[in-house]
Amino acid sequence: MKLKNLLLITILIFGSLGTAAAQNLGQIQRGQRGYVPPPLPRDQGAIAIENTLEDIDEKMDLYATEFELDAFEKAVVKNFIVEYEKEKMGIMADESIAYDVKQQSYKKLNEKLSGNLVTVLTEEQVARFGELHFSEKKKKKKKRRNRNN
């Protein structure tokens, strides 16, 4: 009786292993070769809104040292930036506006801000301001280790 049970169990184990191999588990299925699913549609209205006014004082200290601004000029530039950021957050938060229209109005806001800054800063300083204010923080790249040592 024990021999029959042992034989039956081994046949079941090897039989299930054979069917698992025949099903190509973990591999591309036979009918799926070359098939790439279509990309998911992009949600046009969803844009992440971040509050960029949280660290405005730190940024203003950086701008004051970078452009050598006095207290009055620093206050004027800060007002321009605060006005710009509030308008930008208002545009990005409005879900009734299409994505393309938001992009166009965002570009107009950027032009308006640079036009306002020209009254206080020079053209070179405005260009440098654009680099400082609009550039995102870059991630540090990890150095690759030379594995041929």
Side-chain angles (χ1 to χ4, degrees):
M1 187 72 172
K2 289 184 180 182
L3 184 61
K4 286 184 183 179
N5 287 342
L6 182 62
L7 184 61
L8 183 62
I9 290 173
T10 56
I11 290 174
L12 286 175
I13 290 174
F14 286 118
S16 63
L17 291 176
T19 58
Q23 291 178 3
N24 291 332
L25 295 177
Q27 299 175 358
I28 298 174
Q29 300 298 317
R30 185 175 297 165
Q32 300 293 321
R33 291 189 183 115
Y35 173 73
V36 177
L40 297 174
R42 198 170 104 193
D43 188 13
Q44 294 292 330
I47 296 176
I49 303 167
E50 56 186 51
N51 188 4
T52 53
L53 294 176
E54 292 173 347
D55 57 348
I56 189 71
D57 292 327
E58 296 171 8
K59 288 182 181 180
M60 288 311 303
D61 293 336
L62 173 71
Y63 300 149
T65 57
E66 180 75 24
F67 304 124
E68 299 172 358
L69 301 175
D70 61 3
F72 176 73
E73 292 172 335
K74 183 178 174 182
V76 170
V77 171
K78 182 177 179 178
N79 286 338
F80 288 149
I81 294 173
V82 168
E83 177 185 329
Y84 164 79
E85 294 294 340
K86 284 183 180 178
E87 288 181 27
K88 183 179 87 169
M89 286 189 286
I91 289 172
M92 296 302 167
D94 190 5
E95 294 182 6
S96 64
I97 301 174
Y99 181 76
D100 299 334
V101 177
K102 284 183 183 183
Q103 283 184 331
Q104 290 173 356
S105 58
Y106 181 68
K107 288 179 183 177
K108 288 178 185 176
L109 271 178
N110 287 344
E111 292 171 3
K112 180 182 173 185
L113 176 65
S114 62
N116 288 340
L117 289 175
V118 168
T119 60
V120 179
L121 305 174
T122 64
E123 291 291 331
E124 296 85 23
Q125 289 176 336
V126 171
R128 177 71 179 137
F129 174 83
E131 293 173 4
L132 290 175
H133 189 73
F134 297 117
S135 65
E136 296 181 12
K137 295 179 181 176
K138 295 181 182 179
K139 295 180 181 178
K140 292 183 180 178
K141 291 184 179 180
K142 292 183 179 178
K143 292 184 180 179
R144 293 183 124 186
R145 222 173 42 175
N146 189 358
R147 296 180 187 241
N148 294 335
N149 289 340

